[in-house]
Amino acid sequence: MARMFRVLGFWTLVIALMAFAGDMNEMALLFFIQTVVFVLLGYLNFSEKTYMLMFWGYMFISFVGFTYWTVFVMGNPF
């Protein structure tokens, strides 16, 4: 399971580099930070249950953040 966090770190790095190349600096910074966190967590050798709980927490926070951003920050398109 720890290896999967390193894989997540790799893919967030790829997304961060593409965002940086596309001049989306805020998104790139967010994904660079996620890359560092995922790679560090990948080398901590927690139990599989701990990794699953951390991933569920990450997904919950990201979905709530995405929903907040799309509803309240982006506003109503009509």
Side-chain angles (χ1 to χ4, degrees):
M1 185 57 83
R3 189 174 297 153
M4 285 311 300
F5 271 79
R6 291 185 288 238
V7 171
L8 283 170
F10 169 76
W11 286 113
T12 54
L13 177 63
V14 169
I15 293 169
L17 291 173
M18 288 190 296
F20 188 69
D23 201 31
M24 295 183 276
N25 294 328
E26 293 86 5
M27 179 181 165
L29 179 63
L30 177 67
F31 275 86
F32 279 131
I33 292 169
Q34 288 181 41
T35 298
V36 170
V37 169
F38 282 145
V39 170
L40 288 176
L41 287 174
Y43 284 104
L44 288 179
N45 293 327
F46 290 124
S47 68
E48 186 171 346
K49 183 176 181 179
T50 304
Y51 278 120
M52 289 302 295
L53 289 172
M54 285 191 296
F55 185 70
W56 291 344
Y58 166 76
M59 294 306 293
F60 178 77
I61 290 170
S62 64
F63 287 151
V64 168
F66 178 77
T67 303
Y68 171 81
W69 185 267
T70 56
V71 171
F72 297 112
V73 177
M74 290 178 68
N76 190 352
F78 300 108

